[in-house]
Amino acid sequence: MPQEQTRPSPVPSGAKPEGETQAPQPWTWVEASIWTERMLAALENGVTGGRWYSLMDKMRAPRTLAAAWKRVAANKGAAGVDGISIARFKARASHYLAELERDLCEGRYQPLPVRRVHIPKGRGQTRPLGISAVKDRIVQAAVKMVLEPIFARDFLPCNYGFRPGRGCKDALREVDRWLKAGYPWVVDVDLEQYFDSIPKAPLLARVADKVNDGTLLALLQRFLDQDILEGMRQWTPLTGVPQGSVLSPLLSNWYLHPLDRVVSHAGHVIVRYCDDLVLLCRTQVDAEAALALVQTWTAQHGLRLHPEKTRLVDGSQGSNGFDFLGYRCAGGRRHVRPKSLKGLRDKIRHHTGRTRSGSLAQIIAELNPLLRGWFGYFKHARFTTFRDIDGFVRRRLRALLRKRAKRPGFGRTPKDHQRWPNAFFAAQGLFTLHEAYGRARQSR
């Protein structure tokens, strides 16, 4: 067998190679009722054969189910196909949890179908979202509390998606660091319909690499085989994990973990937030080799690269950039990508239709969390971006108020600004992005 050629490390002096397992982390985020000091010691030191046994009894323990219910209740959410809401479950929580534990212990537990709804994605477009029953969300949360530390122990530093203590901003800073370190060539990878296309059997086999508990694996299989209910249609998907489920972020993240290893072992730099990933290279030749590697791996593991959105980019050129986690990176700078701005405007339009019902106070109460959340993520954008969004929101609200006042005309008029000046909306409590930007700059 020929010897494998090792590529020179692309890591700058003093930086930690991406292929290395991350340093031991503080396990403050784990569920203490499951991950005792003895369990954590086994997690850090490794278990015999690298696989975990007898996890199901820990998952279905009353304390675990109670902790899982607490997390599900905090996240709120709508009722599933059984019509049982968070409030209704809460009224008889002890009864429902005891029933759930009994069904799990006796092997009678069966997840209900996932109720599919469509949420606005843009003009004329929607994104499917699966809503599981509250009881199923509790069981999934309990499974997640058992499995997540096991997977987290193996995740590489280049993986930032859906991980405690890590987030989008960390991934963006890492991309900036590599670009500034002289890695301008970027492989912009787009996995086409990733969540819906993950092969079930290989995914479960990947979990079985770490878990040797047949009962727990069978439970995961039942979750993967949950029916989808949309209107009067009901079917079992052949591939994928339900978007919106408690377990889907963890499982989908784990399925791509071997890709991190393969790419890092080949000497390439990868920064990944679940299925949103980029590879950063010194030269075009390196970028072409990295792309070929990703193409081979995804084809072998049942995934598809979007033929138009997956591309090579010279990120040092201001006229040629790439999108990553809501930002457009080009010429060494980051801006809010046009698609992110369009998405925000579409959501604002959804809340401010001229014929919608509800008081102005109610509409502003709906807008404020949206605007605060968007500012919290994009607060490093240009000042003019915030000013433009503020103006757009006020124009939408003035048009709505003009309609209710039965005033003629559809476009902007000077009288609208006189009747409903900016101070009027400020007095109503409307969140203003450019003012938040000014306060943030002062605090820095």
Side-chain angles (χ1 to χ4, degrees):
M1 184 174 179
Q3 285 188 340
E4 182 179 332
Q5 291 186 343
T6 303
R7 293 171 54 89
S9 173
V11 185
S13 176
K16 184 173 182 176
E18 291 290 339
E20 291 186 7
T21 303
Q22 62 189 11
Q25 57 176 297
W27 299 100
T28 54
W29 52 272
V30 302
E31 178 54 44
S33 63
I34 302 171
W35 291 96
T36 61
E37 290 187 9
R38 179 172 170 272
M39 289 275 287
L40 288 176
L43 187 65
E44 287 288 358
N45 299 324
V47 292
T48 304
R51 302 171 76 194
W52 290 78
Y53 296 78
S54 303
L55 294 174
M56 188 69 182
D57 59 331
K58 297 173 178 60
M59 187 281 294
R60 65 193 177 200
R63 288 178 62 185
T64 305
L65 293 175
W69 155 240
K70 185 176 180 181
R71 296 189 184 191
V72 170
N75 289 332
K76 301 180 182 179
V81 296
D82 58 358
I84 298 179
S85 63
I86 293 290
R88 183 175 168 187
F89 193 100
K90 184 178 181 180
R92 301 187 65 198
S94 58
H95 168 77
Y96 285 130
L97 290 175
E99 185 180 72
L100 205 51
E101 181 200 356
R102 188 164 56 250
D103 288 346
L104 287 166
C105 288
E106 296 176 1
R108 294 200 309 265
Y109 172 77
Q110 181 64 42
L112 294 172
V114 175
R115 180 167 67 90
R116 173 170 284 185
V117 298
H118 292 267
I119 58 176
K121 182 180 178 181
R123 291 181 178 177
Q125 294 183 318
T126 60
R127 176 183 289 110
L129 182 67
I131 301 177
S132 300
V134 173
K135 68 157 193 163
D136 294 336
R137 301 206 293 265
I138 293 170
V139 175
Q140 289 192 31
V143 172
K144 182 172 182 277
M145 288 191 291
V146 170
L147 292 181
E148 189 169 25
I150 296 173
F151 296 164
R153 182 67 182 86
D154 276 16
F155 282 145
L156 299 186
C158 59
N159 176 0
Y160 292 87
F162 308 115
R163 298 183 59 189
R166 297 184 140 220
C168 296
K169 294 294 182 65
D170 302 305
L172 287 163
R173 280 191 288 268
E174 185 70 356
V175 168
D176 286 345
R177 185 173 75 87
W178 285 105
L179 289 171
K180 292 173 182 176
Y183 291 74
W185 280 93
V186 177
V187 184
D188 187 4
V189 179
D190 187 284
L191 293 170
E192 193 172 12
Q193 296 181 329
Y194 173 62
F195 283 85
D196 292 333
S197 62
I198 300 175
K200 295 181 183 180
L203 171 60
L204 200 63
R206 198 149 291 165
V207 176
D209 288 341
K210 287 292 175 183
V211 175
N212 191 8
D213 185 322
T215 308
L216 181 58
L217 292 173
L219 176 62
L220 283 174
Q221 182 73 68
R222 289 199 291 275
F223 279 126
L224 292 176
D225 290 338
Q226 276 181 282
D227 278 2
I228 304 294
L229 182 64
E230 183 175 359
M232 300 299 293
R233 292 180 60 231
Q234 183 170 333
W235 72 95
T236 305
L238 298 178
T239 60
V241 294
Q243 293 191 50
S245 76
V246 176
L247 276 173
S248 63
L250 179 63
L251 294 178
S252 57
N253 202 7
W254 181 243
Y255 192 70
L256 288 179
H257 170 63
L259 176 62
D260 297 338
R261 287 197 175 280
V262 167
V263 171
S264 298
H265 181 73
H268 301 298
V269 174
I270 178 173
V271 180
R272 183 170 70 82
Y273 191 96
C274 196
D275 63 325
D276 204 343
L277 60 135
V278 292
L279 283 69
L280 298 104
C281 307
R282 283 195 183 277
T283 66
Q284 182 177 354
V285 173
D286 287 345
E288 290 170 350
L291 174 58
L293 182 62
V294 173
Q295 288 171 329
T296 300
W297 190 92
T298 51
Q300 290 174 343
H301 294 84
L303 303 176
R304 300 184 303 272
L305 295 179
H306 195 291
E308 297 174 358
K309 296 180 180 179
T310 299
R311 59 200 181 100
L312 300 185
V313 177
D314 183 356
S316 64
Q317 302 299 317
S319 59
N320 191 20
F322 62 97
D323 294 340
F324 187 58
L325 299 176
Y327 281 91
R328 164 58 62 92
C329 305
R333 300 186 65 182
R334 263 199 278 141
H335 313 285
V336 180
R337 67 173 180 168
K339 188 176 179 180
S340 301
L341 285 169
K342 180 181 179 299
L344 175 64
R345 286 175 177 258
D346 287 341
K347 290 176 182 177
I348 292 170
R349 289 188 183 97
H350 174 72
H351 289 288
T352 57
R354 295 171 72 236
T355 59
R356 67 152 291 172
S357 60
S359 65
L360 180 63
Q362 179 182 339
I363 296 170
I364 288 176
E366 294 174 8
L367 286 171
N368 281 348
L370 170 66
L371 297 173
R372 285 194 183 97
W374 198 89
F375 174 78
Y377 187 76
F378 291 106
K379 60 185 176 183
H380 298 294
R382 292 179 178 177
F383 173 77
T384 53
T385 300
F386 303 128
R387 185 188 60 196
D388 292 345
I389 294 171
D390 289 335
F392 178 73
V393 172
R394 288 190 290 261
R395 287 196 301 274
R396 296 286 302 179
L397 292 176
R398 288 186 182 109
L400 183 150
L401 293 172
R402 185 192 312 116
K403 174 74 173 177
R404 292 183 177 184
K406 297 184 173 22
R407 294 164 61 88
F410 184 80
R412 289 173 283 174
T413 66
K415 291 184 179 180
D416 287 343
H417 285 269
Q418 294 171 9
R419 186 169 185 177
W420 301 296
N422 294 356
F424 168 80
F425 296 108
Q428 298 293 318
L430 179 66
F431 180 80
T432 308
L433 278 77
H434 82 272
E435 291 182 358
Y437 176 80
R439 291 193 296 270
R441 291 200 66 182
Q442 290 176 359
S443 66
R444 289 199 296 269

